[in-house]
Amino acid sequence: MYQFILGKISTLSADPLASTLADMAPQGARNASWLAGRTLLARALSPTPLPEIVFGEQGKPSFIDAHPFWFNLSHSGDDIALLVSDEGEVGCDIEVIRPRENWQALANTVFSVAEHHELESEEPEAKLSAFWRIWTRKEAIVKQRGGSAWQIVSIDSTAQTHSVSQLRFGSLSLAVCTPTPFNLTAESISHYGMHLV
């Protein structure tokens, strides 16, 4: 079973459930995204209470005591994504498709030869979107492994060794990496607190 949920940080962090978690939330810039993530996770697992969360060596969160679910969260701008699984470790990434200064230099630094070929095969007006498509795949793979961001350079997201699915959803680039095949489609996405246009 895989469940992929999209939400808005502004909506989730104002959810009545978020106020019950506020004492545990970090202060500062991460406060709203932390509250949104925990609220989204609690809503996804409801009515089961949210288990205690621990962090691995590279900072990947998981449930304590071998809880029968694995999860991964990602956010970009006001958008947040959650992937929950009962089949093993998962990774997800969400990025708002947006201009990024020096994105071509970044691609030159971290993309594999095959990823460069994919990027270069796009028409000029589609290259920025392709950059984010490749980037989200790479991030999802790293996050499934529990790796850190610096490992992104060692990942070739075009290799057939990963079970990766991706989707452009409006202005969002979405990608998941799962232990068994899962096809991310618009129909497979649940929404919490989002007004769809």
Side-chain angles (χ1 to χ4, degrees):
M1 172 282 301
Y2 294 106
Q3 185 178 13
F4 188 86
I5 308 168
L6 283 179
K8 293 289 187 184
I9 292 173
S10 55
T11 303
L12 286 157
S13 61
D15 185 290
L17 181 58
S19 64
T20 67
L21 302 167
D23 291 344
M24 298 180 287
Q27 297 306 306
R30 291 187 50 236
N31 181 269
S33 62
W34 189 96
L35 283 170
R38 291 303 191 282
T39 300
L40 192 56
L41 199 48
R43 294 282 184 212
L45 297 178
S46 182
T48 304
L50 187 61
E52 183 179 345
I53 296 173
V54 294
F55 295 88
E57 286 182 23
Q58 303 289 334
K60 182 175 183 175
S62 62
F63 294 128
I64 197 164
D65 297 332
H67 194 272
F69 292 106
W70 292 265
F71 71 93
N72 198 230
L73 286 157
S74 181
H75 62 86
S76 180
D78 191 38
D79 295 287
I80 188 165
L82 168 66
L83 177 60
V84 178
S85 165
D86 63 359
E87 299 194 29
E89 289 290 353
V90 293
C92 74
D93 192 45
I94 179 175
E95 295 289 347
V96 174
I97 299 169
R98 64 199 184 276
R100 178 183 175 140
E101 192 173 325
N102 298 327
W103 67 266
Q104 290 175 316
L106 183 58
N108 288 339
T109 303
V110 301
F111 284 9
S112 70
V113 171
E115 290 165 340
H116 273 290
H117 287 307
E118 180 181 339
L119 182 62
E120 293 308 313
S121 71
E122 296 286 345
E123 295 296 324
E125 63 277 4
K127 287 189 184 213
L128 181 63
S129 181
F131 166 81
W132 288 115
R133 180 180 69 232
I134 297 165
W135 183 269
T136 55
R137 281 196 323 246
K138 290 172 82 70
E139 281 274 356
I141 294 166
V142 168
K143 291 174 76 176
Q144 188 220 17
R145 295 177 177 181
S148 63
W150 64 266
Q151 292 170 321
I152 199 166
V153 71
S154 66
I155 300 294
D156 179 356
S157 66
T158 66
Q160 299 302 309
T161 56
H162 315 291
S163 181
V164 179
S165 182
Q166 64 187 111
L167 176 69
R168 176 158 180 179
F169 189 75
S171 64
L172 300 175
S173 181
L174 311 171
V176 297
C177 186
T178 54
T180 59
F182 169 63
N183 189 23
L184 184 62
T185 64
E187 295 74 31
S188 67
I189 299 173
S190 300
H191 305 273
Y192 181 82
M194 293 182 74
H195 300 291
L196 301 176
V197 180

